[in-house]
C-alpha cells in the first residue's frame, strides 16, 4: 500500500515530504527530524512532477526495502557475532583469563566500524535504488488522510 505525503520542498528531481506516522513505526522517532510525534520527513524521487503543496503517493519497492533492512541490521548483526566469536577464541588463544571481555569489546568495535562504513556510503545509497518514489499526485480522498 502506498503512503500519502505532502510535498514541502522540491530539490531537483527529488521532493521532501511530510508523512503521517503509522502505527508500524512505533515510537522510535528516528526519522522525525524535530517534527511533531505524528509526522515524519523524508526525501523521495519525483516521478509524478509534484510541486510544493501537492499530496503524493509514495512507494518503495519491496526488494529494495529488504536490501536496506539487511544493510542496516543484518550485516551489523553478523559482524557483531563474528567479533564476539573472534574475540572470545582469540582471547583464549592469547591466554586472557576472561575472554568474555575481549569478545564484547571486539564485537562492539567491529559493529561500530560497520556502521561507520554504512554512514560513509549513505550518500551513494540515498540517491539510488533505496530512495522511495513519489509515483502520482494523490486523489482528493487520499489528501484528507494526510491533513
Amino acid at each position: 500500500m502506498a503512503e500519502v505525503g505532502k510535498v514541502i520542498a522540491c530539490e531537483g528531481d527529488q521532493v521532501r515530504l511530510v508523512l503521517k506516522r503509522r502505527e508500524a513505526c512505533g515510537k522510535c522517532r528516528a526519522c522525525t527530524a524535530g517534527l511533531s510525534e505524528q509526522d515524519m520527513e523524508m526525501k523521495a524521487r519525483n516521478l509524478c512532477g509534484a510541486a510544493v503543496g501537492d499530496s503524493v503517493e509514495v512507494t518503495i519497492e519491496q526488494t529494495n526495502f529488504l536490501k536496506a533492512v539487511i544493510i542496516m541490521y543484518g550485516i551489523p548483526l553478523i559482524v557483531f557475532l563474528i567479533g564476539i566469536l573472534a574475540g572470545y577464541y582469540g582471547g583464549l588463544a592469547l591466554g586472557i583469563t576472561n575472554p568474555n571481555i575481549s569478545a564484547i569489546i571486539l564485537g562492539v568495535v567491529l559493529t561500530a566500524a560497520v556502521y561507520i562504513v554504512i554512514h560513509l556510503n549513505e550518500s551513494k545509497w540515498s540517491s539510488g535504488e533505496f530512495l522511495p518514489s513519489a509515483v502520482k499526485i494523490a486523489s482528493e480522498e487520499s489528501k484528507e488522510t494526510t491533513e
Side-chain angles (χ1 to χ4, degrees), residues 4 55 57 138-147:
V4 177
S55 291
E57 290 186 12
S139 64
E140 289 301 318
E141 63 187 41
S142 297
K143 289 181 185 179
E144 292 173 6
T145 62
T146 63
E147 297 174 358

Side-chain angles (χ1 to χ4, degrees), residues 43-100:
K43 282 185 176 181
R45 290 182 294 214
N46 190 3
L47 301 180
C48 61
V52 174
D54 288 343
S55 291
V56 295
E57 290 186 12
V58 182
T59 62
I60 186 167
E61 289 184 36
Q62 189 71 19
T63 56
N64 291 340
F65 177 75
L66 291 175
K67 286 179 191 175
V69 168
I70 289 170
I71 289 170
M72 284 303 297
Y73 301 108
I75 293 172
L77 175 64
I78 291 168
V79 168
F80 179 69
L81 294 174
I82 290 170
I84 286 178
L85 291 173
Y88 182 80
Y89 290 112
L92 284 177
L94 294 174
I96 296 175
T97 56
N98 189 357
N100 295 334

Side-chain angles (χ1 to χ4, degrees), residues 9-16 43-50 127 131-134:
C10 294
E11 302 165 353
D13 64 343
Q14 297 179 357
V15 290
R16 186 171 298 279
K43 282 185 176 181
R45 290 182 294 214
N46 190 3
L47 301 180
C48 61
S127 63
L131 196 63
S133 300

Side-chain angles (χ1 to χ4, degrees), residues 32 40 56 90-91 93 101 127 136:
T32 57
M40 62 182 177
V56 295
I101 302 294
S127 63
K136 72 178 192 175

